[in-house]
Amino acid sequence: MRLTGHLTLSVLSLGVAGYALFVYGFLPLGIALHPDMRATFEAQRIGIYAHVFAALFALVLGPFQFSARLRAARPALHRWMGRLYLGIGVLVGGLAGLYMASFAFGGPVARLGFGLLALGWLYTGLRAYLAIRARQVMEHRRWMVRNFALTFAAVTLRLWLPASFVAGLPFEQSYAVIAWLCWVPNLLVAEWMLRPTRA
């Protein structure tokens, strides 16, 4: 069950990373987006590109950081991947995400949802970093579980969007709700996984 879950998480993370790399690296910016979103992205090119391409590091590296085999066999590689994950993926991606949240489509509800996601991503990344610097390995792992749950919002966002289209919901209203749905359930699942009875 654990192997199946890790494989699913890895495939989804790498799939969304590949999708983002193709869409933002090779296609005109915002080509498949709502016109208002496209206009915002075009006006904030540096912010959106910094967020997307930095966050790719977290999406690609994150699943490998949870591999016990890799940690045991190549601890130095695990540490360097962790530095890239936190230093580029979370720090740069999170700061750019926080900046872009102030322009988010969907009004104040969406802006607040994405803003809190970015702050939570930065905070859990900082706590994970401070824990490992203090050699508190188990505490570090707990904060990394929470952090990757927030990283995984990039995946769940792209699962909720087509679901809202299929349901026929108005995009303007559903996107504001998805700004919360893409990360709050992830974090709740992470906290459930971290309960002492499941340690």
Side-chain angles (χ1 to χ4, degrees), residues 23-24 27-45 48-49 100 103-106 171 175:
V23 169
Y24 289 94
L27 298 181
L29 183 61
I31 188 171
L33 298 176
H34 186 284
D36 292 343
M37 294 179 71
R38 187 184 310 126
T40 298
F41 281 19
E42 289 174 348
Q44 304 294 335
R45 284 178 172 267
I48 192 63
Y49 281 131
M100 289 304 299
F103 304 101
F105 178 79
F171 182 67
Y175 193 71

Side-chain angles (χ1 to χ4, degrees), residues 165-181:
F165 291 143
V166 170
L169 301 174
F171 182 67
E172 291 78 2
Q173 286 77 44
S174 63
Y175 193 71
V177 177
I178 290 170
W180 295 83
L181 281 178

